[in-house]
Amino acid sequence: MKIRPLWILALVVPASLIIHLQKSAQVFASDDDQTDTGREISIDCGVTEESQDSNGFHHEADDAEFVESGKIYNVSSDDIYANSQEQVWEQMKTVRSFPEGVRNCYTLKPKNGKCNNYLIRVYMSYGNYDHKNSIPYFHLHLGVNFWEKIKFQNVTDIRRKTVVQLSPTNYIDVCLINVGKGTPFISLLELWPLSNSIYRASSSLLPLGLMTCVNLGMSENLKFIRYAADIYGRSWLNGKIDNSKPIYTSEGINIDVKEYRLPSDVLKTAVRAQNVSSSLYINLTSINFTADNEHYIYLHFFDFEEHSNGEVRSMEITFTDTIREPVTLKHEDVRTLVKKIPKGVILNGISITSTPGSSLPPMINAYEIYRALPQPNTPTHEEDVDAMRNIKHAYNIMRISWQGDPCMPIDYRWAGVTCNYSERIPRVTSLNMSSSKLAGQIVTSFSNLMTLEALDLSNNQLTGEIPESLAELPNLKLLNLTGNNLTGSIPKALRDKSTTGLTLILDGNPGLCQTSSCKAITKKFIKPLVASVASVAVLTTIVYISLMLCRHKRKHHSDSKVMLVKKDDQIRLKNQGFSQAELHRITKDFETEIGEGGFGKVYLGRLKDVTQVAVKLLSKSSQQGFDEFQSEANLLSLIYHKNLVSLVGYCDDGDMRALIYEYMEKGNLRNLLSDNNPNVLKWNERLQIALDAACDSIDLET
Ligand SMILES: *[C@@H]1O[C@H](CO)[C@@H](O)[C@H](O)[C@H]1NC(C)=O
Ligand SMILES: *[C@@H]1O[C@H](CO)[C@@H](O)[C@H](O)[C@H]1NC(C)=O
Ligand SMILES: *[C@@H]1O[C@H](CO)[C@@H](O)[C@H](O)[C@H]1NC(C)=O
């Protein structure tokens, strides 16, 4: 069964809770903050401790959190300084190279998770790190699909590859593929969160590989505009157009830069034609268009020149004889024109002319060209990927092939794993970890591989009991546990299943009770056993559902974790209980009333760490209120979703009952949707809430 968290929420969340969607307003504020901090992950490959470079930029440690294989090297000192003009030259001094295996991957776990837009970039500079003077050639994969070929001309070349992707998975794998022409290596890996509305041309969700990104009209002595000037990590090359005139504005830019968040240096410089009747021509013969790919062109305009009497600048952009677009600009208009160039069309250039009535010459600030990367492979089912990763970590398995996606691409699937490829989404059908030095218990993650038909864990050092949950695998035909140190008796459900098509192989486990006398012993205890199994089952179901609910945002959950134990109609939240006295202090004796909720009044409070909170006090009279109080406390303590307000704590002291929430400064959902409110949710914000909701519950179609 596929559990779809938001649908469940819709079913179980009491109406009163829905108003807590108010949280989304804050989410946008914090998303913005995040993009303001620029890149989220930067790994200086080969440097195994966190570091800061001379520009003050932070780099993560290149360690097992991201990569499990490879060897680190310093590049040859003779070659380092050749690159010292580059912003990233310090990061080019060390590399991680992958002499073993065909596919080696870095795995990134961005905070925003799947269905969000990211810019991912790798840098590679050989620098003769292996003292062999032999430059390798290899491939890059993004997730389960081909991304780029990596070729170098010189030992000191720096290769930079950039892709923008709406990630279909919570984990992003960047893999280096050995194609038999030298050992792959990497120097620097970066990930930047982007707005979800940009670089998403038309209906396509294909990743876009950057081909060129050019700013026009820049001063001669600058080579690039980039981070930190560009908050999205783009590197704008200084470009030229023949017979054009550079123009710039020295005025501060006081406009909404819109989703693309172009750096102000890109907006402030441009080129225009010499006069109204001449045109601009962007020569693209050096761009390697390929007939097999779609391409996407982004043309950026900011018309900072003065226009007299409300004149407009009216232009026509010609891509090919048949692909043309008009662009009309008023003074201070910012515009990005996105054009899809279909497969089979090779562009030689783009010309920009003024249309007959226009009295202003054509102009342009910047352009970008991307290649849409076909995605013939679909990643393995998310539940299988999670289960396989959990199994891998539970037994600390460092097999070289156990990196990236377990089933895809077929040629690189994990050793011992077989998959079913007959549906669009591959699934794991058998797992052979025979003689793999596994020690410890049989973890329950095996039981999450819902389509598993064969599990071979023979000849390991597994201990403990055989988990009954394995019997829940509907298609399991073979369970080979030969040659371990398992103990206890065989779970009844498995014994039953072995009479209906499951082959159970258990010999070579001296401590395991397999005889009929063993069955007789268990019979004596059958009654209490049934009782306890039943309660365990109920408990497991509750824990399972709450885990499913929490799973998506577990990372965020950890810092606002509230554990709840229900006992005799009392609610206990571990470490989160507040006393009456504390509530009086937090709210300054209930000084500021901020509203009236379903079961009582709401007061503003301030915790010791100055976090603002809303304290919902349960009015003493209301029993209906008490039930609501309980269900709200129960539910909120179990889930964390970014569109729901989170519970900070509760008070159940004497005759005072209260829930303490994060305080939502911007008011409730009704306010946010009301036109009278200055902070009314914008359309794109509403869209984003819908997108989050949809993406949490629907598999991404590509
Ligand atoms: C790289 O060079 C640094 C100092 O320059 C040294 O401490 C480090 O051990 C070297 N690393 C390797 C892998 O050779
Ligand atoms: C698992 O692999 C071992 C040896 O590699 C083999 O003997 C065994 O038959 C395999 N099990 C299954 C279920 O294929
Ligand atoms: C079970 O595992 C043992 C040991 O690896 C192997 O010899 C045997 O063939 C396996 N049985 C089946 C049915 O795969």
Side-chain angles (χ1 to χ4, degrees):
M1 181 180 61
K2 170 128 178 94
I3 300 215
R4 312 203 147 185
L6 264 138
W7 298 12
I8 287 192
L9 277 187
L11 296 177
V12 299
V13 175
S16 72
L17 263 180
I18 300 294
I19 59 162
H20 297 305
L21 259 173
Q22 52 192 270
K23 173 110 199 267
S24 38
Q26 274 218 334
V27 169
F28 287 108
S30 64
D31 276 359
D32 282 351
D33 293 343
Q34 186 184 23
T35 50
D36 276 333
T37 63
R39 68 187 169 197
E40 179 179 324
I41 302 172
S42 172
I43 303 164
D44 184 356
C45 308
V47 178
T48 52
E49 274 162 31
E50 278 185 63
S51 60
Q52 199 149 36
D53 65 27
S54 57
N55 295 314
F57 301 151
H58 176 86
H59 304 278
E60 308 290 337
D62 180 25
D63 62 17
E65 189 188 343
F66 302 107
V67 64
E68 291 170 354
S69 55
K71 287 175 76 176
I72 62 173
Y73 293 90
N74 291 331
V75 305
S76 141
S77 53
D78 302 338
D79 297 318
I80 292 176
Y81 294 97
N83 285 321
S84 62
Q85 299 303 309
E86 288 282 339
Q87 186 186 34
V88 294
W89 79 283
E90 281 181 77
Q91 287 73 56
M92 300 300 110
K93 292 179 187 173
T94 52
V95 301
R96 180 178 288 272
S97 92
F98 298 99
E100 283 184 77
V102 182
R103 174 175 69 167
N104 288 268
C105 302
Y106 273 80
T107 300
L108 308 177
K109 287 162 236 165
K111 284 198 219 85
N112 292 346
K114 66 175 176 178
C115 307
N116 280 291
N117 217 6
Y118 301 100
L119 181 148
I120 299 140
R121 178 157 55 217
V122 297
Y123 288 85
M124 289 141 295
S125 182
Y126 170 62
N128 199 20
Y129 73 86
D130 54 3
H131 303 288
K132 289 183 182 157
N133 258 312
S134 139
I135 310 177
Y137 164 86
F138 53 93
H139 289 180
L140 277 184
H141 280 197
L142 178 64
V144 295
N145 287 290
F146 175 80
W147 171 9
E148 278 280 0
K149 297 174 182 165
I150 306 299
K151 282 183 219 153
F152 303 87
Q153 251 105 52
N154 295 303
V155 170
T156 56
D157 280 353
I158 296 180
R159 285 285 167 268
R160 181 180 56 226
K161 297 296 173 189
T162 306
V163 68
V164 176
Q165 185 193 30
L166 192 82
S167 179
T169 49
N170 284 321
Y171 298 89
I172 298 178
D173 294 317
V174 174
C175 303
L176 294 91
I177 311 292
N178 188 329
V179 293
K181 296 188 175 164
T183 303
F185 69 90
I186 178 169
S187 308
L188 176 63
L189 172 59
E190 301 176 332
L191 176 135
W192 312 66
L194 301 184
S195 154
N196 284 349
S197 57
I198 60 173
Y199 303 111
R200 289 276 58 86
S202 62
S203 60
S204 166
L205 291 178
L206 296 179
L208 299 177
L210 179 68
M211 304 181 76
T212 192
C213 176
V214 172
N215 185 37
L216 296 163
M218 262 162 90
S219 141
E220 297 269 347
N221 48 26
L222 288 173
K223 216 173 152 193
F224 281 113
I225 293 172
R226 53 190 164 190
Y227 185 55
D230 190 322
I231 215 73
Y232 277 167
R234 292 159 295 202
S235 289
W236 302 84
L237 211 70
N238 190 349
K240 289 190 181 54
I241 292 186
D242 289 344
N243 302 319
S244 69
K245 182 173 182 290
I247 53 175
Y248 74 97
T249 176
S250 52
E251 276 168 38
I253 290 185
N254 195 15
I255 47 140
D256 178 4
V257 291
K258 301 228 170 110
E259 307 100 315
Y260 285 89
R261 304 191 67 161
L262 301 175
S264 70
D265 292 339
V266 169
L267 292 170
K268 283 173 155 185
T269 58
V271 293
R272 73 160 161 74
Q274 303 287 359
N275 54 55
V276 173
S277 55
S278 56
S279 62
L280 293 172
Y281 185 72
I282 305 173
N283 187 332
L284 298 178
T285 46
S286 65
I287 304 291
N288 189 14
F289 286 98
T290 41
D292 292 343
N293 295 81
E294 281 173 0
H295 293 85
Y296 287 89
I297 316 274
Y298 294 78
L299 302 179
H300 302 290
F301 304 92
F302 172 52
D303 195 343
F304 51 74
E305 284 195 316
E306 286 300 334
H307 293 198
S308 53
N309 312 324
E311 265 178 322
V312 292
R313 190 188 305 266
S314 189
M315 304 182 280
E316 182 175 62
I317 321 287
T318 306
F319 298 90
T320 68
D321 287 347
T322 52
I323 306 175
R324 296 164 190 265
E325 278 297 330
V327 171
T328 301
L329 300 171
K330 296 207 284 283
H331 178 54
E332 296 215 321
D333 269 357
V334 184
R335 182 78 48 82
T336 293
L337 173 73
V338 184
K339 196 71 210 162
K340 170 175 152 181
I341 307 299
K343 282 182 192 174
V345 177
I346 304 289
L347 285 192
N348 295 314
I350 300 169
S351 81
I352 311 177
T353 52
S354 14
T355 52
S358 183
S359 52
L360 292 163
M363 61 96 67
I364 181 169
N365 295 61
Y367 62 90
E368 298 171 80
I369 301 178
Y370 291 84
R371 169 189 296 149
L373 306 178
Q375 302 289 289
N377 296 333
T378 310
T380 303
H381 197 284
E382 192 179 4
E383 281 169 16
D384 291 358
V385 175
D386 288 348
M388 289 304 300
R389 284 186 201 266
N390 288 341
I391 291 165
K392 172 175 152 172
H393 289 128
Y395 300 107
N396 206 9
I397 293 167
M398 300 294 253
R399 281 191 200 168
I400 206 88
S401 79
W402 280 40
Q403 300 187 49
D405 188 279
C407 300
M408 276 294 189
I410 300 179
D411 291 347
Y412 307 138
R413 70 166 188 270
W414 294 8
V417 173
T418 334
C419 306
N420 178 349
Y421 300 99
S422 64
E423 305 286 327
R424 193 177 62 88
I425 298 175
R427 300 224 49 164
V428 174
T429 52
S430 91
L431 179 55
N432 189 349
M433 299 174 76
S434 171
S435 310
S436 300
K437 301 195 176 76
L438 309 183
Q441 308 234 340
I442 299 179
V443 293
T444 51
S445 301
F446 290 108
S447 322
N448 296 340
L449 293 165
M450 287 314 285
T451 55
L452 205 61
E453 292 165 17
L455 178 59
D456 190 341
L457 301 176
S458 60
N459 295 336
N460 286 296
Q461 287 108 46
L462 293 167
T463 53
E465 300 195 7
I466 304 171
E468 183 160 25
S469 57
L470 287 172
E472 287 159 22
L473 294 173
N475 305 327
L476 194 65
K477 307 256 174 348
L478 174 70
L479 181 57
N480 193 346
L481 301 175
T482 289
N484 282 288
N485 295 315
L486 297 165
T487 50
S489 58
I490 303 156
K492 180 171 183 312
L494 271 179
R495 250 188 291 131
D496 291 350
K497 214 175 160 73
S498 68
T499 62
T500 60
L502 169 67
T503 310
L504 253 181
I505 303 168
L506 301 171
D507 35 40
N509 286 284
L512 193 66
C513 181
Q514 295 190 57
T515 58
S516 51
S517 62
C518 166
K519 274 180 211 156
I521 295 168
T522 49
K523 235 171 207 163
K524 281 189 201 162
F525 301 102
I526 206 100
K527 259 191 182 162
L529 205 82
V530 166
S532 71
V533 163
S535 55
V536 166
V538 169
L539 205 79
T540 318
T541 314
I542 292 171
V543 169
Y544 182 67
I545 291 178
S546 43
L547 282 181
M548 294 306 289
L549 287 168
C550 297
R551 205 173 57 165
H552 282 260
K553 305 289 171 183
R554 193 172 295 152
K555 212 166 166 185
H556 301 250
H557 189 204
S558 57
D559 38 44
S560 60
K561 190 179 281 168
V562 270
M563 287 283 287
L564 179 124
V565 183
K566 206 177 158 193
K567 203 177 174 189
D568 307 334
D569 261 10
Q570 294 242 318
I571 287 173
R572 301 199 178 169
L573 292 151
K574 242 187 225 168
N575 308 325
Q576 304 291 333
F578 289 82
S579 67
Q580 285 207 27
E582 279 172 309
L583 273 203
H584 278 281
R585 189 177 45 72
I586 289 169
T587 60
K588 290 196 184 149
D589 291 322
F590 303 98
E591 185 183 61
T592 316
E593 189 184 317
I594 51 178
E596 184 140 11
F599 56 73
K601 293 193 166 152
V602 187
Y603 297 90
L604 184 64
R606 198 178 278 274
L607 300 181
K608 276 204 193 102
D609 66 357
V610 309
T611 315
Q612 287 206 318
V613 291
V615 178
K616 262 192 176 185
L617 206 57
L618 174 67
S619 66
K620 284 167 194 154
S621 56
S622 145
Q623 173 58 37
Q624 187 250 334
F626 181 68
D627 295 339
E628 203 177 304
F629 170 76
Q630 279 207 320
S631 62
E632 190 156 336
N634 270 314
L635 188 73
L636 282 176
S637 60
L638 288 174
I639 58 178
Y640 180 93
H641 188 274
K642 74 174 178 183
N643 286 341
L644 288 174
V645 75
S646 54
L647 185 64
V648 175
Y650 75 103
C651 168
D652 190 6
D653 180 16
D655 60 358
M656 187 179 282
R657 293 203 174 96
L659 293 175
I660 297 108
Y661 298 97
E662 271 179 76
Y663 176 59
M664 297 295 137
E665 249 175 303
K666 294 184 179 170
N668 66 23
L669 181 65
R670 193 190 306 166
N671 286 340
L672 284 174
L673 296 179
S674 150
D675 284 345
N676 303 330
N677 184 332
N679 295 323
V680 65
L681 277 182
K682 296 196 192 84
W683 270 114
N684 61 348
E685 296 171 334
R686 296 178 195 201
L687 175 75
Q688 187 63 49
I689 294 172
L691 216 138
D692 281 345
C695 205
D696 274 354
S697 54
I698 294 169
D699 297 320
L700 190 74
E701 298 285 334
T702 48

